[in-house]
Amino acid sequence: MDPMSGPHLIRGSVALPEAELAWRFSRSSGPGGQHVNTSDSRVELSFDLVRTEALPEVWKRRALERLAGRLVDGVITVRAAEHRSQWRNREAAAVRLAALLAEATAPPPKPRRPTRIPRGINERRLREKKQRAETKRGRQGRDWG
């Protein structure tokens, strides 16, 4: 049985393709005491974005464009070393990769349609501004003594 807790969904029904994930384990720095010297708890998870068949073509193009700075030969790599157990680090790495891909494949936001300020609101603002100016003008030039 696979120790991973179910498929990690990217968005909708698209999940991280288990078969296309490459795992590497190495010794981790950080918490663990003597145990840390003997266990390979740091996890590196790689996913070949260029060759994958798991993502829809549009998503793939978007992700390649947005993650261009993080890719090495079309492969995205995520590291996790914050937990003592390798299994929890595997979970963390998979979750991180899924989140990264979800963000990178998201559709671009809809363009903002400029809205007009209603005339009444603008007029009220100007009226209040004048009123304020009057108040302040009334404060100057008098000898209050």
Side-chain angles (χ1 to χ4, degrees):
M1 192 185 119
D2 196 342
M4 301 298 282
S5 65
H8 288 277
L9 289 179
I10 297 174
R11 215 171 56 250
S13 58
V14 181
L16 280 181
E18 229 23 83
E20 294 181 25
L21 300 179
W23 299 91
R24 276 187 50 215
F25 307 102
S26 56
R27 297 214 177 125
S28 174
S29 62
Q34 293 162 336
H35 167 81
V36 84
N37 303 326
T38 57
S39 65
D40 291 344
S41 60
R42 179 170 63 203
V43 173
E44 261 185 38
L45 173 56
S46 301
F47 177 60
D48 194 335
L49 204 47
V50 175
R51 293 189 188 79
T52 185
E53 297 294 316
L55 298 179
E57 201 50 46
V58 188
W59 288 22
K60 201 157 120 175
R61 270 202 310 275
R62 261 188 226 144
L64 285 169
E65 212 172 281
R66 292 180 185 167
L67 297 173
R70 284 195 60 166
L71 297 176
V72 179
D73 297 330
V75 177
I76 182 93
T77 303
V78 173
R79 289 174 195 79
E82 58 268 20
H83 300 293
R84 275 185 62 163
S85 91
Q86 185 192 94
W87 186 79
R88 281 174 65 191
N89 279 332
R90 283 180 65 151
E91 271 299 295
V95 166
R96 212 168 284 166
L97 181 63
L100 195 66
L101 288 173
E103 198 176 308
T105 58
K110 288 200 166 58
R112 180 185 174 278
R113 275 192 33 225
T115 52
R116 289 192 50 215
I117 298 171
R119 208 170 95 215
I121 289 179
N122 217 4
E123 285 174 356
R124 189 183 72 197
R125 181 180 65 85
L126 293 173
R127 248 197 333 272
E128 285 171 0
K129 207 172 144 95
K130 269 201 176 74
Q131 187 63 55
R132 193 92 194 110
E134 277 301 311
T135 308
K136 288 186 172 188
R137 244 209 347 268
R139 289 182 188 150
Q140 57 185 228
R142 280 211 193 89
D143 187 13
W144 294 100

